[in-house]
Amino acid sequence: MSKNLWIDDARGHPAPIRTRARPRSPRVTPKTDTPLRVLLAQPRGFCAGVVRAIDIVERALQKFEAPVYVRHEIVHNKRVVEALKAKGAHFVEDLDEVPDHAVVIFSAHGVPKSVEQAAARRPLTALDATCPLVTKVHNQGRRYVAQGRRLIFIGHAGHPEVVGALGQIPGRIALVQSARDVAALKIPGDAPVAYVTQTTLSVDDTREIIEALRRRFSNLVGPDTRDICYATQNRQSAARDLCTRVDVLLVVGAANSSNSNRLREIGVEMGVRSHLVAEAEALRPEWFVGARAVGVTAGASAPEELVLGVVARLAQMGPVTISSVGAPEESIAFRLPTELR
Ligand code: 0CH
Ligand code: SF4
């Protein structure tokens, strides 16, 4: 039993938990042996869209047998991708890499209409793991365009969700990445305009961009930021709250994960030393020198096992106490596609 790793028991009292014995790293906590407080953000990690997307691949492997093909990383996390590869999923970036008569699954981020059409023209079984909240954005965008409004998409150029959405909504769409871009839009101020957004942006930056749009356009409609994605909103609020209590913020997530990067940025904005880490091995003891409390959160695509690995690594560096802060667990779940229910 490690003397270093403690987690609150059901009544909130610190109780030791078991860790595997591994070589010790240099101590980083003060000589007094005051334990480093590790605060876990609640909620963190997998959202309902990610759970559903992974479930779709696993159920497809059971129903159709390996291999099944997944276009793009099902979610932006190597651990998830490797686990599915081990079960027989093949990951490709282009539909041309998928052989005829195979099963192909579109990732949680969504795909352009042209990809769906190309799959439909070939002898393929296509399954769609696009998150229902991403699909909701596609539908909202289409409705605004059908109403005759010029559509503005708030998002990061080149991100697969943005590429997918721009290819799902017909008509001319202006992409805006910052409040500065709003001034450069060549659309008359009194034109009927609407906006929709990528689901994993900074809620605060998005609000700022929407305010700039409101100042620029007199006839503007679009969703409230609270209606875009509950998971993005909740993880960012929890991270912000966590940052008021810690000296260092660790965000578990992949470098190509938009929502994970946004969590790290919250830490930076709040003046907290913040690091995005793909896994425990990325932790550097010098990050924690002088720190009394470390916050740990995880992007929507990061499995909890990676969070536990990070916590165990912290416990190898010196004594720690562990507790959770934030709201109770989320209870949202999305239905699977009919073919896999
Ligand atoms: O945050 P992004 O969009 O890069 O994607 P992820 O890390 O795979 O997380 C899941 C979100 C998928 C679409 O909203
Ligand atoms: Fe869906 Fe939101 Fe999760 Fe993206 S972050 S997969 S939109 S629930």
Side-chain angles (χ1 to χ4, degrees):
M1 171 93 59
S2 163
K3 280 190 287 189
N4 286 337
L5 187 52
W6 296 75
I7 191 158
D8 287 358
D9 67 10
R11 287 152 301 165
H13 301 138
I17 65 169
R18 289 174 186 283
T19 55
R20 259 182 293 157
R22 287 176 69 174
R24 283 293 177 91
S25 303
R27 283 181 106 68
V28 293
T29 44
K31 283 206 178 88
T32 57
D33 266 356
T34 307
L36 179 69
R37 283 187 301 122
V38 177
L39 303 183
L40 301 175
Q42 192 98 283
R44 62 177 180 276
F46 279 7
C47 61
V50 165
V51 169
R52 176 179 180 271
I54 295 170
D55 210 8
I56 287 174
V57 180
E58 286 182 335
R59 282 174 186 245
L61 283 162
Q62 285 163 11
K63 180 169 176 180
F64 300 102
E65 293 183 355
V68 302
Y69 289 77
V70 184
R71 184 187 175 278
H72 192 65
E73 290 187 334
I74 187 73
V75 297
H76 291 147
N77 191 277
K78 292 259 167 303
R79 180 67 64 96
V80 171
V81 167
E82 292 306 322
L84 293 172
K85 271 187 191 169
K87 293 178 182 177
H90 287 194
F91 288 83
V92 298
E93 285 303 317
D94 203 307
L95 219 49
D96 293 345
E97 300 167 63
V98 181
D100 282 352
H101 308 291
V103 173
V104 62
I105 300 169
F106 303 139
S107 81
H109 319 91
V111 291
K113 197 60 143 186
S114 57
V115 171
E116 289 176 349
Q117 288 164 342
R121 281 195 298 271
R122 290 186 45 203
L124 294 173
T125 301
L127 296 169
D128 190 3
T130 305
C131 175
L133 296 184
V134 173
T135 304
K136 182 176 156 193
V137 172
H138 301 168
N139 292 335
Q140 269 173 335
R142 286 188 201 110
R143 271 198 303 276
Y144 290 138
V145 169
Q147 289 166 7
R149 291 183 176 274
R150 269 303 301 272
L151 190 67
I152 294 169
F153 195 98
I154 305 171
H156 294 297
H159 185 281
E161 182 182 330
V162 177
V163 173
L166 297 183
Q168 283 285 347
I169 306 169
R172 242 178 351 132
I173 307 169
L175 180 65
V176 158
Q177 305 194 66
S178 68
R180 257 197 325 251
D181 289 351
V182 172
L185 287 169
K186 292 193 171 39
I187 304 173
D190 58 353
V193 175
Y195 65 83
V196 288
T197 89
Q198 188 179 341
T199 56
T200 52
L201 299 179
S202 149
V203 176
D204 288 346
D205 289 355
T206 307
R207 200 175 291 121
E208 212 178 280
I209 296 172
I210 294 169
E211 277 162 17
L213 288 171
R214 288 205 192 293
R215 288 194 294 274
R216 173 89 161 72
F217 300 106
S218 55
N219 183 355
L220 176 82
V221 292
D224 191 297
T225 47
R226 285 170 299 190
D227 291 335
I228 296 165
C229 168
Y230 79 96
T232 297
Q233 176 104 25
N234 290 351
R235 279 151 194 67
Q236 290 183 14
S237 302
R240 196 169 290 281
D241 180 31
L242 193 63
C243 286
T244 62
R245 306 161 191 244
V246 299
D247 312 297
V248 178
L249 176 70
L250 299 177
V251 178
V252 183
N256 62 340
S257 165
S258 164
N259 76 88
S260 305
N261 277 285
R262 303 297 80 81
L263 293 174
R264 190 193 67 84
E265 284 167 8
I266 285 173
V268 173
E269 280 163 27
M270 293 194 65
V272 172
R273 283 132 63 184
S274 303
H275 305 276
L276 177 66
V277 290
E279 56 188 357
E281 285 64 32
L283 263 60
R284 295 284 160 267
E286 58 270 24
W287 293 348
F288 311 102
V289 172
R292 285 174 301 178
V294 174
V296 181
T297 186
S301 46
E304 184 65 6
E305 62 177 273
L306 293 175
V307 174
L308 296 178
V310 162
V311 173
R313 177 84 184 106
L314 287 170
Q316 286 163 8
M317 295 179 184
V320 296
T321 63
I322 303 162
S323 50
S324 295
V325 290
E329 293 289 344
E330 294 160 331
S331 55
I332 292 177
F334 296 131
R335 283 155 74 90
L336 288 164
T338 343
E339 329 63 309
L340 294 175
R341 267 181 228 155

